[in-house]
Amino acid sequence: MEYTSLGDDILVKLMSLGDKEAFGEIYRRYWRKLFQKAQRKIYAKEEVEELVQDLFVTIWEKRATQKIQTLEPYLFTALKYQIITYIKKQVMEEKFVAYASTESDEEENSLEEKIAYDDLTQSIEQAIEQLPEKTQHIFRLNRLEGKSTKEIVEILNIPERTVEYHISQSLRFMREHLKEFLTWGLLMFMN
């Protein structure tokens, strides 16, 4: 079957039935457009790539339950909400960092901060160790060693999409595993 000649509505129906080639065609058809749209709001290329990748991962994971009437508006609306969520998260993180830095200026080496830092570091390491070996390795290269997606592709000699998939999976897992620390940090910020 020649997927490039199929309309979006047929591709969506095929994808909902689990057709990976139909999903691949949707990805190829819309990835760049979504990336360019997101990059107008978020300038960090890797963050934009991650947002778009997460969008496609979610679409695939929920393919059987989603009710997509018209694909293109659906994708751009979903992207818009992801961008809003991302920006809100960034604002909260900036406020928390500003708060934490003023607090740390006042009580630079307090015992509580040291304990909290040690707990967070230990939880991060434990979370990383729970990841599958390949995902763990890619996460360490990307987030701990600061390697870009392209550098990881060259180091491991694997496709870029594979690297992006492992990064998005590891970040999703880390957010879930470390949400208690984020909640604690937000509570500290609000007091």
Side-chain angles (χ1 to χ4, degrees):
M1 182 182 305
E2 184 60 44
Y3 288 90
T4 57
S5 63
L6 297 176
D8 286 352
D9 54 336
I10 295 172
L11 290 172
V12 168
K13 286 178 185 171
L14 290 171
M15 178 187 67
S16 70
L17 298 171
D19 188 325
K20 291 180 182 177
E21 292 297 320
F23 174 73
E25 178 58 29
I26 291 170
Y27 183 90
R28 285 185 292 278
R29 204 173 277 186
Y30 288 101
W31 187 90
R32 182 153 314 283
K33 291 178 187 178
L34 292 166
F35 178 84
Q36 290 170 343
K37 179 76 170 180
Q39 204 165 31
R40 291 184 201 133
K41 302 286 183 194
I42 302 168
Y43 303 110
K45 182 182 178 200
E46 285 190 2
E47 297 297 326
V48 173
E49 288 174 348
E50 186 178 323
L51 278 177
V52 175
Q53 187 71 17
D54 283 348
L55 173 64
F56 279 106
V57 167
T58 302
I59 288 170
W60 178 253
E61 288 174 346
K62 296 180 179 182
R63 67 190 174 276
T65 58
Q66 290 183 83
K67 302 293 182 226
I68 300 174
Q69 300 297 324
T70 311
L71 181 61
E72 189 167 356
Y74 178 89
L75 291 172
F76 282 97
T77 301
L79 180 67
K80 178 178 99 174
Y81 286 113
Q82 277 194 299
I83 291 170
I84 290 169
T85 301
Y86 172 82
I87 291 171
K88 283 181 183 177
K89 180 180 163 228
Q90 292 301 107
V91 168
M92 290 304 290
E93 285 178 5
E94 287 173 15
K95 287 181 179 179
F96 178 72
V97 167
Y99 169 80
S101 68
T102 59
E103 285 295 309
S104 67
D105 288 346
E106 295 169 9
E107 306 172 26
E108 209 160 288
N109 291 319
S110 76
L111 181 59
E112 287 180 3
E113 288 175 349
K114 171 97 172 92
I115 291 170
Y117 177 79
D118 291 344
D119 285 349
L120 177 59
T121 304
Q122 183 178 11
S123 289
I124 289 170
E125 193 56 42
Q126 287 173 348
I128 292 171
E129 290 174 6
Q130 290 178 34
L131 294 169
E133 187 174 330
K134 189 172 191 175
T135 305
Q136 187 180 131
H137 184 59
I138 291 171
F139 178 84
R140 287 182 189 279
L141 287 171
N142 181 254
R143 297 298 169 167
L144 302 181
E145 295 181 27
K147 303 271 189 238
S148 70
T149 303
K150 295 206 183 316
E151 289 173 312
I152 296 170
V153 165
E154 291 176 15
I155 292 169
L156 300 178
N157 196 25
I158 57 176
E160 187 169 309
R161 283 192 204 161
T162 302
V163 173
E164 292 168 350
Y165 170 79
H166 284 286
I167 291 171
S168 69
Q169 290 297 88
S170 62
L171 290 174
R172 183 175 289 127
F173 178 81
M174 296 299 280
R175 279 191 291 265
E176 184 62 31
H177 186 76
L178 299 173
K179 70 180 170 189
E180 72 182 68
F181 285 98
L182 180 58
T183 304
W184 177 80
L186 289 174
L187 289 174
M188 291 286 294
F189 172 73
M190 294 176 151
N191 287 332

